[in-house]
Amino acid sequence: MNKLKFENGDQMPAIGLGTWKSEPKEVKNAVKIAIEAGYRHIDCAAAYGNEKEVGEGIKEALKSTGIKREDLWITSKLWNADHKKADVIPALKKTLSDLDLEYLDLYLMHWPVALRPDLEGFPESDDDFLSEEEAPVSTTFQQMLEAKKQGLIHHAGVSNFTVTKLKKLMDEVEKPEMNQVELHPYLPQNELIDFCQKHGIHNTAYSPLGSGDRSEEMKSNDEPTLLENEVIKEIAKKRNASAGQILIKWAEDRGTAVIPKSTNEGRIKENLKSADIEFTTEDRKAINGIEKNYRFLKGDGFTPSDQPGVFSE
Ligand code: A2P
């Protein structure tokens, strides 16, 4: 399996287990099965509401496999309501306590969006947002770098940042080490990937399978089904693999990390085996030719009504 190399020599295994949408009662077992099957990278977030159970799964797997904490790569994310300077490190400590870990390998700013600290859940009105003056992205990121200095995290990055927002952060503070964004053949985001590669920023592909288990409110009626795409299905047949494996391999093959979510034992194992597939130039060309330009996670409602959408600039 490919590994993403960081400037201090740390290496992040490209294929990780996603835990967004994993029910708390299922995720402990999923994490345990995954680590026992050979996963060494787990992607978490405070907002997923299941970090305690993820932590229990990690603990059990460390016991059953005999591997050490430092053999794992654990990522988590700072929620939007914790962007104020005084809130960043306490929020990180809560995540560490829930996961029962002493440090994270990677901590990401979940969205370039700041919400009222007392807000539970998602914004419902313009009053739920903090302005850039009240909670500048640069200050939030500086606090994450302070957490890095303190040894609470080994790497600091962001998620859901556009090129414009990355440039601003790089001007004001420094480059994030990772930008985790939606990436799959329907949304390859080539310009963003090129920019990140040029500046030494890694990428992680979220929703690599199209996140078909999102709630109905998050879906559009005319949404295309990535796993049913004919090009993907044809290559899967040719390679004696599943469509899901082809999508995961595509992400790994282009040098990004990728975090397919599953709580199903068979699919957890199947997804890790994607690494063994070998693409030909024709396979790559066919997948890269799909070009649908479809975003599953639109970030609707993540900016006040008088501002452009979160991905528009
Ligand atoms: P399940 O958890 O029952 O395996 P994404 O990673 O893009 O968010 O997609 C997650 C969705 O894809 C979940 O519904 C998950 O279901 C399903 N899934 C995970 N692995 C595979 C696979 N190899 N083939 C088909 N569906 C998969």
Side-chain angles (χ1 to χ4, degrees):
M1 182 195 304
N2 191 29
K3 286 188 172 156
L4 278 60
K5 296 173 185 67
F6 286 73
E7 284 165 9
N8 71 343
D10 284 353
Q11 300 198 11
M12 175 189 196
I15 301 176
L17 180 75
T19 61
W20 175 44
K21 308 174 264 74
S22 297
E23 293 294 332
K25 61 180 188 313
E26 290 178 341
V27 80
K28 172 179 162 185
N29 200 37
V31 168
K32 182 167 182 270
I33 288 168
I35 296 172
E36 288 173 352
Y39 282 77
R40 295 292 177 262
H41 165 188
I42 312 289
D43 183 86
C44 323
Y48 302 162
N50 56 12
E51 288 196 318
K52 268 199 165 124
E53 293 78 4
V54 170
E56 287 166 11
I58 293 172
K59 188 169 256 177
E60 286 198 6
L62 290 181
K63 215 179 195 178
S64 67
T65 58
I67 64 164
K68 299 194 183 75
R69 160 68 184 96
E70 50 270 34
D71 297 326
L72 296 176
W73 182 284
I74 311 292
T75 300
S76 184
K77 311 184 192 84
L78 174 78
W79 183 238
N80 306 348
D82 298 314
H83 274 217
K84 280 186 92 76
K85 189 174 177 186
D87 296 337
V88 175
I89 291 181
L92 166 60
K93 286 187 173 164
K94 167 81 166 65
T95 271
L96 287 171
S97 151
D98 284 349
L99 290 168
D100 201 5
L101 298 176
E102 286 179 3
Y103 70 92
L104 293 175
D105 295 276
L106 176 63
Y107 199 41
L108 306 176
M109 193 186 308
H110 207 147
W111 290 87
V113 171
L115 298 174
R116 276 197 293 116
D118 57 339
L119 184 73
E120 295 199 3
F122 291 95
E124 285 175 359
S125 83
D126 288 353
D127 296 339
D128 291 337
F129 293 88
L130 297 183
S131 67
E132 176 65 13
E133 291 74 43
E134 287 173 301
V137 164
S138 56
T139 305
T140 306
F141 194 62
Q142 266 154 351
Q143 280 306 102
M144 293 170 65
L145 294 176
E146 172 59 29
K148 185 176 164 183
K149 241 190 240 158
Q150 292 180 19
L152 297 170
I153 63 174
H154 289 178
H155 301 277
V158 297
S159 181
N160 295 302
F161 271 51
T162 57
V163 169
T164 308
K165 291 190 171 100
L166 286 173
K167 278 184 182 160
K168 186 166 186 279
L169 185 61
M170 288 156 74
D171 283 347
E172 291 174 351
V173 192
E174 63 180 52
K175 71 164 188 187
E177 295 174 90
M178 169 66 71
N179 185 24
Q180 182 181 124
V181 292
E182 179 176 334
L183 292 169
H184 43 69
Y186 285 172
L187 193 71
Q189 306 214 56
N190 293 325
E191 268 178 41
L192 176 68
I193 298 284
D194 287 349
F195 176 86
C196 288
Q197 280 177 357
K198 195 168 142 211
H199 293 278
I201 301 169
H202 288 299
N203 292 106
T204 299
Y206 76 59
S207 298
L209 308 175
S211 284
D213 55 346
R214 276 167 300 138
S215 64
E216 287 308 310
E217 307 93 75
M218 288 184 81
K219 293 186 185 172
S220 305
N221 292 333
D222 58 348
E223 190 166 292
T225 314
L226 191 53
L227 285 160
E228 293 297 324
N229 179 275
E230 287 306 325
V231 174
I232 300 293
K233 278 182 13 188
E234 205 173 297
I235 297 173
K237 203 167 155 199
K238 212 170 62 180
R239 297 264 160 266
N240 204 14
S242 71
Q245 287 179 314
I246 298 301
L247 292 166
I248 295 163
K249 181 69 200 183
W250 176 82
E252 189 223 19
D253 185 63
R254 74 199 289 242
T256 67
V258 53
I259 46 166
K261 171 267 172 184
S262 184
T263 46
N264 171 281
E265 179 163 1
R267 286 188 287 277
I268 288 171
K269 292 179 176 168
E270 171 186 324
N271 293 347
L272 186 67
K273 291 204 186 94
S274 313
D276 301 336
I277 298 168
E278 284 185 29
F279 279 163
T280 61
T281 309
E282 283 71 39
D283 292 336
R284 292 188 188 97
K285 223 191 239 169
I287 300 174
N288 293 337
I290 291 175
E291 282 185 9
K292 230 187 188 82
N293 199 22
Y294 191 87
R295 187 186 287 279
F296 291 107
L297 266 93
K298 301 187 171 50
D300 288 343
F302 264 21
T303 44
S305 53
D306 61 346
Q307 284 178 27
V310 71
F311 297 121
S312 65
E313 60 181 30

